[in-house]
Amino acid sequence: MVHIPRFHRGDAVRIAIVTQSYYPKPGGVTEVVHYSARELRRLGHRVTIITTNYSGLDAQSPGLRRIGRNMLVPVNGAWVNVTIALRMREKLERIFREEAIEIVQTHCPLVPTLPLSALRAAGRDLKVVGTFHAAAESNALYRLFRNVLDRRARRLDARIAVSEPAHAFASLYFPGQYEIIPNGIDCGRFSPSVSPIEEPESGSIRILYVGRMDQRKGVPYLLKAIPIAQRRLDAKIELLLVGEGELRSKLFPRPFRLHGAEIRTVGRVDPEQLPGYYRSADIVCSPATGRESFGIVLLEAMASEVPVIASDIPGFRRVISHGTDGLLVRPKDPAALAEAIVRLGVNRSYRKELGVMGRKKALQYDWSIIARRLEETFLRVLGKTSRHQTTPVRQSIG
């Protein structure tokens, strides 16, 4: 327990967080928005999340405003959320007025439609901070509309990139000053004290995959690695796949065995259940092939004190120190992935060591720490100074 300054009521900032990804839609940006808003509120600020509707039953609550409808569009090898709404700019302007917003944080600020509309709706009166998440070698949309989007980028009063790869990608098209503030993790929610959903079968090694079931996330390479590893291990491998995507219905309609290994799919799970799935695993594998700006899944596993095997790609390399708090392997290489699985599968003490060190690393990313960095950026952009009073707030949970 440490003492973190808390704002007097008169110093609180009214913040709008604009995002096209939010609950009930799972994903990294969804988690970032939810927990950054929670921590900023704990610091005394008033936060309004502005997002879209995914169905007619989406939850409405104080501090959460929804407009339009969501549509999925394939872009850059992934499915991107796009909001469809009539008079979107007018609706955003009305929300900004009703909530007396001072500063707007927009995630993926140059992506149609809601983020770009928020830039226009902010006008010249509101300060705007853009948070860039994507990482890739190129982007056709950015190339085609570079001049138009660059004018929008210059409207931003501050730019945040969640990692070095995200910074490199954004600055390739839109040069400027960026601040790197990584995504965070709730180290209380994801913790070694969480009870597992189910225990692995006695004498088996349970490997967990969490994420979208598509080619870019590397699921086919993991499936190729499992038989190779199984032939070298005495213990039976249980592969548990958590997530949705086109590969699930094509390849995994029901549980099956692969050269003695058991493969099971769970599909999408409730957020409340996800920590228990991590605690049910011996190893977490994230074999993504690239274009990952940051490893939220890696941090969730590490905070849960479960050892991680991940692809050696820039976004993951910023989270894992190979051999110290996780293992990195060549992407798209089933043999290398299998070798790492065997290495951990036969060495329980090494699994424990990596798990403990992973938890230690994850604590550095606890949301109570990351939110203070966001707060500092918002205050700097607004030109605000604040009187503080001291209130005990939990900074991180061991």
Side-chain angles (χ1 to χ4, degrees):
M1 188 80 75
V2 299
H3 292 288
I4 294 180
R6 191 178 184 88
F7 285 102
H8 290 286
R9 287 182 181 272
D11 297 317
V13 177
R14 292 174 179 259
I15 305 164
I17 301 180
V18 179
T19 175
Q20 285 184 142
S21 182
Y22 195 64
Y23 297 128
K25 181 73 175 177
V29 175
T30 294
E31 297 294 304
V32 167
V33 170
H34 178 75
Y35 286 100
S36 61
R38 185 193 71 178
E39 293 302 322
L40 287 167
R41 288 166 181 153
R42 286 182 176 177
L43 289 170
H45 304 294
R46 178 168 175 173
V47 181
T48 301
I49 297 171
I50 305 173
T51 188
T52 186
N53 287 284
Y54 294 92
S55 73
L57 301 176
D58 291 339
Q60 303 281 347
S61 62
L64 175 61
R65 305 287 294 268
R66 295 184 186 270
I67 61 175
R69 295 284 181 184
N70 180 72
M71 182 173 67
L72 284 175
V73 177
V75 175
N76 208 38
W79 290 93
V80 175
N81 298 292
V82 174
T83 302
I84 307 299
L86 296 174
R87 299 186 297 276
M88 187 182 302
R89 178 179 175 180
E90 294 176 21
K91 292 176 181 178
L92 286 166
E93 289 173 343
R94 184 171 65 251
I95 293 173
F96 292 161
R97 288 194 303 270
E98 291 173 353
E99 303 292 341
I101 298 300
E102 297 174 79
I103 188 166
V104 177
Q105 181 193 20
T106 177
H107 288 267
C108 308
L110 302 181
V111 172
T113 53
L114 188 59
L116 279 172
S117 294
L119 281 175
R120 297 182 64 198
R124 290 296 167 186
D125 297 327
L126 299 181
K127 299 294 185 180
V128 184
V129 175
T131 297
F132 293 79
H133 293 264
E137 294 180 1
S138 63
N139 184 291
L141 180 68
Y142 283 178
R143 285 199 307 272
L144 287 172
F145 300 99
R146 185 171 184 170
N147 290 338
V148 173
L149 293 176
D150 188 56
R151 288 197 294 272
R152 297 284 184 262
R154 290 198 296 269
R155 168 64 184 87
L156 296 170
D157 297 288
R159 306 179 192 187
I160 294 171
V162 300
S163 65
E164 286 286 357
H167 167 234
F169 178 54
S171 61
L172 177 66
Y173 295 96
F174 313 109
Q177 185 174 353
Y178 292 77
E179 180 179 5
I180 296 178
I181 301 179
N183 296 326
I185 186 73
D186 184 341
C187 291
R189 177 186 172 205
F190 296 95
S191 164
S193 64
V194 171
S195 298
I197 291 291
E198 58 179 85
E199 295 288 352
E201 183 181 321
S202 178
S204 69
I205 299 293
R206 177 172 291 166
I207 299 172
L208 177 69
Y209 166 86
V210 176
R212 279 197 59 79
M213 304 274 284
D214 59 28
Q215 295 283 343
R216 185 171 68 89
K217 296 295 186 177
V219 176
Y221 299 102
L222 179 56
L223 284 177
K224 291 177 182 178
I226 292 300
I228 301 172
Q230 183 64 88
R231 285 192 289 268
R232 295 177 55 188
L233 287 171
D234 294 330
K236 186 184 81 172
I237 293 176
E238 296 179 59
L239 175 59
L240 194 61
L241 300 151
V242 173
E244 291 286 0
E246 65 271 17
L247 291 182
R248 186 188 176 204
S249 58
K250 292 178 181 178
L251 301 179
F252 318 112
R254 60 187 62 86
F256 66 97
R257 288 187 176 273
L258 190 64
H259 296 273
E262 180 182 344
I263 315 295
R264 286 194 293 135
T265 60
V266 177
R268 182 184 300 177
V269 302
D270 291 333
E272 296 78 16
Q273 292 182 310
L274 186 57
Y277 277 99
Y278 282 109
R279 288 301 302 162
S280 301
D282 297 298
I283 302 167
V284 170
C285 279
S286 187
T289 61
R291 288 181 287 188
E292 299 286 338
S293 63
F294 194 81
I296 286 288
V297 168
L298 309 187
L299 281 181
E300 290 174 349
M302 293 162 76
S304 302
E305 212 167 273
V306 181
V308 179
I309 300 171
S311 296
D312 189 5
I313 56 178
F316 289 175
R317 209 177 294 141
R318 300 309 193 274
V319 178
I320 289 181
S321 299
H322 176 66
T324 300
D325 46 42
L327 296 180
L328 296 172
V329 300
R330 288 185 301 275
K332 304 182 182 181
D333 190 338
L337 185 54
E339 180 67 32
I341 291 171
V342 171
R343 182 180 178 187
L344 294 187
V346 300
N347 194 333
R348 182 187 295 270
S349 62
Y350 190 40
R351 295 203 303 267
K352 177 65 175 177
E353 177 185 340
L354 290 181
V356 169
M357 294 304 294
R359 171 73 179 176
K360 184 177 180 181
K361 170 73 73 65
L363 288 171
Q364 300 173 24
Y365 293 87
D366 189 76
W367 268 119
S368 61
I369 297 172
I370 302 302
R372 288 306 307 272
R373 294 187 59 186
L374 289 172
E375 178 190 65
E376 290 168 3
T377 298
F378 296 158
L379 291 176
R380 184 181 71 248
V381 168
L382 288 167
K384 285 199 172 192
T385 57
S386 173
R387 299 163 298 162
H388 292 99
Q389 63 184 15
T390 303
T391 301
V393 178
R394 184 167 53 198
Q395 183 181 40
S396 60
I397 306 168

